[in-house]
Amino acid sequence: MAGIEVTALHKRYPDGTVAVEHVDLSIGDGELFVMLGPSGCGKTTTLRAIAGLERQTTGDIRIGDTLVNDLPPAERDIAMVFQFYALYPHLRTRDNLAFPLRAEGLPKAEVRERVDEAARLMRLGPLLDRRPRRLSGGEQQRVALARALVRRPRAFLMDEPLTNLDAELRADMRTEIKHLQGELGTTMVYVTHDQVEAMSLGHRIAILNKGRVEQIGTPLEVYDRPASLFCAAFIGSPPMNLIEVEVADGKLRSQGGLALTPPPGLPRDRCLVAGVRPEALEVTEPGAERSVPARVVSAEWLGDEIIYVVDHGGQRDVRVRMPPTVRFAADAPVGLRHTGGTPAVYDVSTEELVA
Amino acid sequence: MAVSVDEAMSTGPVRDHTPPARRFGGRGRSVLEIALLTVLAVVMLFPVLWMIETSIKENRDVYAIPAKFFDFTVTLDHFKDVFVASSGRSALSASFLNSVVVAGVSTVLATVLGVPAAWAYSRFAVKAKKDQLFFILSTRFMPPVVVVIPIFLMYRQVGLIDTKLGLILIYTAFNVPFTIWMMKGFVDEVPAEYEDAAMLDGYTRLQAFWRFTLPLLLPGIAATAVFALIFSWNEFVFAIFLTSSDDVRTAPPAIAGLIGGTTVDWGLVAAASVVFALPVLVFAYLVRKHLVAGVTLGAVRR
Ligand SMILES: Nc1ncnc2c1ncn2[C@@H]1O[C@H](COP(=O)(O)OP(=O)(O)OP(=O)(O)O)[C@@H](O)[C@H]1O
Ligand SMILES: [Mg+2]
């Protein structure tokens, strides 16, 4: 087992595409580290560089204490699970699992033992004698995971391993992977573009955008204080409301009159935007205490909650998360009240968190 | 959902009217179709049938006027003549053996060279890949006759005229581009992740190709090889220009050589042609599924 250090990684493909601009990652031993970002931001490329399947243009990669820049994938001692599972189609499950072990030249008895252990961990017993074609998507996924862990590698790399599964199975497998990682204590780098997956799995999350790291932090940090407007818009469903504000008599005031507590150390004379989570707002009866006037644009009933979209001071897309018991009709005049703490504040020109 | 239903509703009636064939009444149409197809089949197959008939007729019946379609005596003498002559083995049988050697070796060479090349083009970032592939393909654009004179002159310089090696080399040169193009389609269809996974499992890139990709490519290789084999087997222009002696000649010029004396032994020509056509038919039958895939470009996507 080992941590992974990625320093100033830059990858330019031969056709000129820059897939990774500049990435620094420091992944601890035994950590479940999630790389999250939109399609095309360079997640897979970064992961493949760590695996040694792609040679970085510049930058260093260290696994444990070894600099692995020039090591072929086979000598890096890591296992990878692909989005498309890449089980060998002509081999039965048992042989698919045994393959990496035979490559190492382990004695037969030990191969058997390890395959059985992995099969037990991933509950593959009845599937051992089937070929991949005769396995369901979820089963193939479990076999792929088992094949990764049978070798007891120093780290697991996962490239969107659950994308091809349906929602329910995905939730199950998520739990399973998290549990397994905890049990084995092996470092895991997990790539996804699904923020729910990232939030529920990761010890820490790195948010990537256009080949750069926008933010690294625990799920809570990333949710509470997104480091940039990009992160603010990316994390959370519905995402943070970004409300233009001005500093006036010790308060942050929006055009519609909403007053927020300013964080300390705000710079003067800049265009500012406050990030307010939908659950930090409240729709009230018009004229309720501390509320400002607003109007319901639309409402989405989601069963356990209602997302109100309200028009507040000309901004027509302010989203508010409310319990399903509170009902307001569309177009109804309502009040809007801030109930959360100090909001995160961003500079419009740099798009970065200022306080 | 609603949209798709609407679409289905609106295109439904239109679709019923579009195919022109449907305008004929069911019965009349099928009669006409069958009649046309029959005529076509007769026109296409008659020469083949006639060749087979001629090969088993006695000479007397071959030259009979009016031609005899059914009431002739069956004999296998012509087939015997194809293989044995009074002096022992016939020149024709030697030419068949030459054809087997030349077509076989050139196909193996083209496959051995072309498959790894196709793999490399499919998997690696090669400089100016598209241009290279187009160049490779372009060598197949021109008819072979165009280069026959220059090749003849070059071969005379290096002493490859009238050698089997010469034919093998030129057929290989023609089959390699074809093999690369066709095999690239098949390799593209095998996900690169198999090799990635194998490399992480401790294999080198070559081992990964050899142990995982190659087995999955075998059907494609078989189909491609049959195409190459058929090309080399049937090739006539180079064979007749570049070879002259009996112990080098392949079957196509040898059979053609039977025609042109004062008398033509049509029975022998027909029998030799039947023997010549058989291997190709057998191979084509074995890989018919892939031939169709190859012809419909199913194998060369992208
Ligand atoms: N082999 C390649 N050659 C050229 N460009 C490539 C290659 N592979 C990826 N790219 C480009 O590099 C960029 C990053 O690709 P990458 O696959 O790392 O994205 P990703 O974050 O994994 O996206 P996704 O979520 O869609 O998988 C993309 O713009 C992509 O088009
Ligand atoms: Mg990807």
Side-chain angles (χ1 to χ4, degrees):
Chain A
M1 271 172 260
I4 299 172
E5 292 286 332
V6 176
T7 324
L9 187 75
H10 179 83
K11 171 69 188 180
R12 187 170 175 275
Y13 282 107
D15 66 356
T17 320
V18 175
V20 178
E21 198 55 65
H22 181 104
V23 166
D24 290 307
L25 300 173
S26 175
I27 300 163
D29 190 356
E31 186 174 18
L32 205 173
F33 189 87
V34 176
M35 282 199 277
L36 174 68
S39 190
C41 68
K43 308 180 295 288
T44 298
T45 307
T46 308
L47 205 64
R48 288 175 62 87
I50 297 174
L53 295 170
E54 214 75 67
R55 179 71 159 92
Q56 68 269 28
T57 315
T58 55
D60 287 335
I61 297 172
R62 262 169 240 275
I63 300 175
D65 300 327
T66 17
L67 186 68
V68 297
N69 287 356
D70 297 314
L71 286 188
E75 286 167 37
R76 297 191 183 193
D77 194 15
I78 44 192
M80 185 156 167
V81 176
F82 298 85
Q83 175 177 345
F84 148 85
Y85 317 122
L87 300 174
Y88 307 127
H90 54 298
L91 298 182
R92 293 171 306 162
T93 299
R94 182 189 302 283
D95 297 313
N96 258 299
L97 297 186
F99 227 98
L101 300 177
R102 295 203 184 120
E104 274 176 43
L106 288 184
K108 262 203 178 120
E110 172 147 20
V111 169
R112 227 194 133 73
E113 191 182 308
R114 288 233 220 147
V115 167
D116 287 343
E117 186 197 329
R120 191 178 46 76
L121 265 175
M122 295 311 299
R123 300 192 311 279
L124 295 174
L127 311 177
L128 277 176
D129 286 312
R130 294 208 207 153
R131 277 179 230 280
R133 202 192 309 263
R134 290 186 46 225
L135 299 173
S136 74
E139 289 164 348
Q140 288 188 26
Q141 184 56 65
R142 294 221 306 275
V143 176
L145 282 172
R147 189 177 71 179
L149 58 89
V150 76
R151 233 179 56 216
R152 298 176 189 162
R154 291 201 292 175
F156 293 125
L157 308 180
M158 308 271 194
D159 191 0
E160 311 202 17
L162 305 183
T163 311
N164 292 341
L165 304 181
D166 58 44
E168 197 181 332
L169 203 53
R170 197 142 60 183
D172 287 350
M173 288 301 295
R174 208 158 61 204
T175 322
E176 198 145 353
I177 289 177
K178 185 164 183 141
H179 173 76
L180 196 73
Q181 195 274 342
E183 192 128 298
L184 298 173
T186 310
T187 313
M188 181 183 286
V189 186
Y190 189 104
V191 161
T192 179
H193 61 249
D194 178 347
Q195 42 134 342
V196 179
E197 217 164 277
M199 298 290 284
S200 61
L201 272 178
H203 298 159
R204 281 192 306 156
I205 300 176
I207 299 175
L208 268 66
N209 181 31
K210 295 187 186 145
R212 288 180 187 280
V213 179
E214 294 263 341
Q215 181 172 15
I216 297 182
T218 63
L220 216 63
E221 286 166 1
V222 168
Y223 190 79
D224 280 347
R225 294 184 72 75
S228 64
L229 286 181
F230 173 82
C231 299
F234 197 73
I235 296 276
S237 166
M240 235 179 202
N241 295 301
L242 299 172
I243 301 173
E244 273 181 47
V245 290
E246 284 171 346
V247 186
D249 43 86
K251 286 275 184 192
L252 290 168
R253 286 195 190 278
S254 73
Q255 277 178 354
L258 202 62
L260 311 169
T261 320
L266 263 192
R268 297 238 147 224
D269 308 328
R270 280 206 257 170
C271 283
L272 299 177
V273 160
V276 184
R277 289 276 172 209
E279 56 271 25
L281 292 170
E282 201 174 40
V283 179
T284 63
E285 294 295 336
E289 194 190 342
R290 288 192 299 116
S291 76
V292 294
R295 198 174 49 80
V296 175
V297 175
S298 67
E300 296 166 22
W301 273 266
L302 300 177
D304 55 344
E305 62 186 27
I306 303 179
I307 308 295
Y308 283 104
V309 182
V310 302
D311 178 344
H312 161 69
Q315 192 171 350
R316 291 180 54 86
D317 61 350
V318 177
R319 288 185 160 70
V320 184
R321 191 191 302 271
M322 296 293 289
T325 46
V326 188
R327 302 256 165 124
F328 293 96
D331 246 10
V334 291
L336 182 66
R337 182 159 57 194
H338 183 250
T339 55
T342 319
V345 179
Y346 302 88
D347 183 328
V348 175
S349 53
T350 62
E351 305 200 346
E352 308 246 329
L353 186 71
V354 285
Chain B
M1 194 63 186
V3 175
S4 71
V5 171
D6 284 348
E7 265 173 12
M9 300 273 274
S10 64
T11 56
V14 177
R15 208 188 291 139
D16 269 350
H17 287 292
T18 31
R22 289 257 183 108
R23 297 220 183 112
F24 296 101
R27 219 190 156 89
R29 172 179 138 249
S30 65
V31 168
L32 192 72
E33 239 175 33
I34 289 170
L36 275 173
L37 285 175
T38 313
V39 171
L40 209 67
V42 169
V43 170
M44 303 286 274
L45 291 179
F46 179 76
V48 179
L49 198 71
W50 196 243
M51 171 181 84
I52 294 171
E53 258 199 20
T54 308
S55 71
I56 53 174
K57 277 178 185 171
E58 291 202 335
N59 270 336
R60 176 155 54 73
D61 297 331
V62 169
Y63 295 103
I65 294 175
K68 289 184 174 177
F69 278 95
F70 303 110
D71 50 341
F72 54 84
T73 338
V74 173
T75 170
L76 290 178
D77 282 354
H78 300 307
F79 284 98
K80 210 180 89 197
D81 290 344
V82 169
F83 292 106
V84 288
S86 47
S87 57
R89 253 184 4 141
S90 69
L92 266 180
S93 72
S95 74
F96 276 117
L97 201 63
N98 290 339
S99 269
V100 170
V101 170
V102 168
V105 174
S106 66
T107 300
V108 169
L109 276 180
T111 306
V112 167
L113 293 174
V115 172
W119 174 67
Y121 276 117
S122 174
R123 290 285 188 262
F124 298 108
V126 182
K127 271 220 173 78
K129 185 192 281 189
K130 282 205 175 127
D131 303 306
Q132 285 194 33
L133 282 170
F134 180 78
F135 172 74
I136 289 170
L137 185 69
S138 71
T139 59
R140 300 284 302 212
F141 288 170
M142 60 183 172
V145 217
V146 175
V147 288
V148 102
I149 305 291
I151 297 274
F152 180 85
L153 297 174
M154 279 155 60
Y155 269 26
R156 208 174 47 186
Q157 286 291 316
V158 296
L160 281 171
I161 280 291
D162 202 20
T163 61
K164 275 182 254 186
L165 180 64
L167 280 188
I168 289 172
L169 289 181
I170 196 80
Y171 291 171
T172 305
F174 268 86
N175 276 329
V176 164
F178 167 76
T179 306
I180 292 178
W181 264 87
M182 184 137 164
M183 283 315 299
K184 180 169 178 295
F186 285 108
V187 180
D188 285 345
E189 307 235 309
V190 177
E193 275 96 342
Y194 288 134
E195 282 162 43
D196 293 341
M199 283 196 289
L200 285 166
D201 282 351
Y203 296 90
T204 65
R205 203 176 245 291
L206 273 180
Q207 284 172 326
F209 166 68
W210 187 255
R211 307 192 57 158
F212 300 102
T213 308
L214 201 62
L216 298 175
L217 287 178
L218 281 180
I221 292 178
T224 310
V226 166
F227 270 115
L229 193 72
I230 292 175
F231 168 84
S232 309
W233 184 258
N234 289 346
E235 208 288 325
F236 178 73
V237 176
F238 284 109
I240 201 153
F241 272 92
L242 301 179
T243 62
S244 51
S245 57
D246 277 349
D247 53 347
V248 175
R249 276 228 143 145
T250 53
I255 294 172
L258 297 174
I259 306 170
T262 42
T263 60
V264 178
D265 186 351
W266 285 112
L268 182 63
V269 172
S273 304
V274 169
V275 174
F276 180 70
L278 267 180
V280 170
L281 287 180
V282 170
F283 274 118
Y285 180 78
L286 288 180
V287 296
R288 61 196 179 283
K289 233 173 41 197
H290 300 289
L291 289 186
V292 174
V295 168
T296 53
L297 292 186
V300 265
R301 264 186 231 151
R302 286 192 207 186

